[in-house]
Amino acid sequence: MEELRRLFRSAADHAADYRRSLPDRPVGVPVDQDAVAQAFSGPLPSAPSAPERVLADLIAAAGPGLVASAGPRYFGFVVGGALPAATAADMLAAGWDQFATNAVTSPAAIAAEAAAGAWLKELLGIPPAASAGFVTGCQAANTVGLAAARHQVLTDVGWDVERRGLAGAPPIRVVAGEERHATIDRSLRLLGLGADVVEPVAAGPDGAIDLGSLREVLRAGSPGPTIVCLQSGNVNTGACDRLREACDLVHRHGGWVHVDGAFGLWAGASPATRHLVDGVELADSWACDGHKWLNLPYDSAFAFCARPEAHAAAMSYAAAYLVGSGGSPAGADLTAESSRRARGFAVWAGLRELGRDGVAALVDRCCALARRFAEGLTSAGFEVANEVVLNQVLAGFGDDARTDRVVAAVQADGTCWAGGTTWRGRRLMRISVSNATTTEADVDRSVAAIVRLANQCR
């Protein structure tokens, strides 16, 4: 037992030292991928290895290939760093090694999900009676939400899709904005509907869905089972669809509304940004990430459904060897996983660490820092291509080729990290401010580096 204690302490000490280094660490610099791969490769040893030796070898092999994405100057892909309490809780989850299928296999894991789910719904403005499935990411959350939608719209016309499948089923209309996230299309593929089923709706100047176009698309199609995918937080601009008007319109056509709110749903947690998701409670299902703006460890996202019975019907299964808890659907009943890790502990701990006011402050601070980013780049003579309504900034540096050179130079420099994107036919730098530890000094330092490198890339 003492050897196990030393091993775990060694891992925790190394993790803490790494996290402590992040404010001063180069964020992302080019590495020799072949060398990193080589450090992990080689033949599988025939004999067992001491755990301490394995841990030391892992640390040595991984070190050169680690990206400081948990640090305060990583502005790529809308990711945050994991909060201290949430990280520690995730370590405990690994140590406790719970089988979080239901309240029989781990009463604590399911209780943590239930409590954290209630807090999440309160923060996001989702009805308290909605179900909450704890999944790996927004890809999984979108898939679960659309599976529940598929179940319900076909049930409404007398078709049992879980038993009979889609062959011969009434056709389902799927309506979505032309600037939807690509995970929507992949979810449709996974659910057997296919990406070609989408009837695209034009976007307005900010990337949010155009309500007039939505109205026309709904009118133009044949009546029948209909799913409409809305978005809170355009992946490029941060713009949010007008949920109240859109939900009302869709429901008048008898459709189901699914909201992809990977990061934008967190606007509902702050009084300053809540207007951006006005009407969120009117939707039928919602997808949201925890490892983005809430700054939880990876493998944390949420699938909510206003009709828990549809959620469970789409996702749950029974087998003779399974022992059910006999209560409301929970755990594996609401996800596509049976052998689930206890991800609810980290969610519960992160929310307890921040509290309601802390979550609102996190949202407000990231939005303010994004505006500071935009102001700094504009003052230096560069273009900001979007209205900064949340935590997303799109910056242009002239023609596409120069913008790509600036993005590459920034990534190689290591002061900060931002990615490139294509929006409205133009190449732009995409800056996402999502980390709880980012400060004004981090933004100013990053702006200075971007301006310096952009001037070198004429």
Side-chain angles (χ1 to χ4, degrees):
M1 182 56 67
E2 191 57 37
E3 291 178 355
L4 184 65
R5 188 182 303 276
R6 286 197 301 269
L7 181 72
F8 284 7
R9 281 178 175 169
S10 177
D13 286 345
H14 174 78
D17 288 343
Y18 173 78
R19 292 286 284 272
R20 193 181 299 116
S21 76
L22 289 174
D24 302 312
R25 191 183 184 94
V27 180
V29 295
V31 300
D32 184 343
Q33 184 63 39
D34 290 339
V36 175
Q38 184 63 34
F40 279 98
S41 63
L44 176 66
S46 57
S49 300
E52 296 83 357
R53 180 71 262 165
V54 173
L55 184 63
D57 289 346
L58 172 61
I59 290 170
L66 296 177
V67 176
S69 53
R73 294 185 307 284
Y74 189 86
F75 304 112
F77 305 109
V78 202
V79 300
L83 294 161
T87 301
D90 217 33
M91 292 177 178
L92 284 174
W96 287 335
D97 196 20
Q98 294 292 283
F99 175 33
T101 295
N102 56 35
V104 172
T105 61
S106 181
I110 299 305
E113 288 186 7
W119 293 343
L120 289 165
K121 288 180 283 185
E122 178 185 346
L123 286 168
L124 298 172
I126 291 171
S131 49
F134 285 57
V135 294
T136 55
C138 226
Q139 175 69 77
N142 280 327
T143 303
V144 170
L146 291 173
R150 183 187 65 173
H151 165 87
Q152 190 61 53
V153 299
L154 288 178
T155 295
D156 289 344
V157 293
W159 186 270
D160 184 343
V161 68
E162 283 75 37
R163 185 171 61 86
R164 302 175 68 183
L166 287 172
I172 298 176
R173 298 184 68 195
V174 178
V175 176
E178 63 182 5
E179 295 198 17
R180 64 192 177 276
H181 195 273
T183 53
I184 293 293
D185 294 67
R186 184 157 66 169
S187 292
L188 295 173
R189 285 163 31 209
L190 293 170
L191 292 169
L193 297 170
D196 282 352
V197 75
V198 173
E199 300 174 38
V201 179
D206 60 354
I209 202 168
D210 180 80
L211 287 176
S213 179
L214 175 61
R215 186 177 294 108
E216 291 305 313
V217 170
L218 288 171
R219 283 176 179 169
S222 302
T226 302
I227 301 169
V228 177
C229 300
L230 301 178
Q231 184 173 234
S232 287
N234 179 289
V235 72
N236 284 309
T237 68
C240 297
D241 294 345
R242 289 161 58 186
L243 298 180
R244 183 171 298 281
E245 295 94 329
C247 287
D248 180 65
L249 181 60
V250 174
H251 288 154
R252 280 192 272 119
H253 283 266
W256 174 291
V257 176
H258 173 73
V259 178
D260 174 11
F263 67 94
L265 276 187
W266 290 106
S270 167
T273 51
R274 193 168 295 147
H275 64 282
L276 296 172
V277 291
D278 175 57
V280 65
E281 73 280 0
L282 302 177
D284 300 290
S285 58
W286 306 260
C288 184
D289 261 316
H291 54 234
K292 285 186 169 63
W293 213 345
L294 190 56
N295 281 241
L296 298 180
Y298 287 101
D299 191 29
S300 182
F302 321 109
F304 303 101
C305 187
R307 305 188 195 187
E309 70 285 354
H311 191 166
M315 303 310 301
S316 64
Y317 76 102
Y321 66 89
L322 289 177
V323 179
S325 57
S328 300
D333 295 327
L334 304 175
T335 74
E337 305 158 316
S338 294
S339 301
R340 306 171 64 245
R341 73 187 307 274
R343 57 180 63 95
F345 294 136
V347 183
W348 185 91
L351 291 172
R352 278 289 301 271
E353 180 179 349
L354 291 173
R356 183 185 297 105
D357 292 345
V359 175
L362 172 59
V363 171
D364 290 344
R365 185 167 67 255
C366 287
C367 292
L369 292 173
R371 292 192 296 270
R372 188 181 185 93
F373 235 122
E375 291 161 3
L377 293 173
T378 301
S379 297
F382 299 109
E383 176 192 10
V384 171
N386 66 311
E387 179 186 358
V388 181
V389 295
L390 279 177
N391 60 340
Q392 302 293 101
V393 182
L394 295 178
F397 301 91
D399 60 44
D400 288 356
R402 183 186 179 193
T403 294
D404 281 339
R405 289 197 302 272
V406 174
V407 170
V410 168
Q411 293 176 359
D413 175 74
T415 301
C416 63
W417 201 99
T421 190
T422 299
W423 188 63
R424 302 293 169 88
R426 298 182 56 202
R427 292 294 295 163
L428 297 162
M429 177 182 285
R430 176 172 170 259
I431 299 164
S432 303
V433 186
S434 311
N435 193 296
T437 64
T438 302
T439 65
E440 291 183 349
D442 288 312
V443 170
D444 294 346
R445 180 178 169 185
S446 300
V447 168
I450 293 171
V451 170
R452 168 175 54 82
L453 294 163
N455 287 331
Q456 295 172 3
C457 293
R458 294 187 181 279

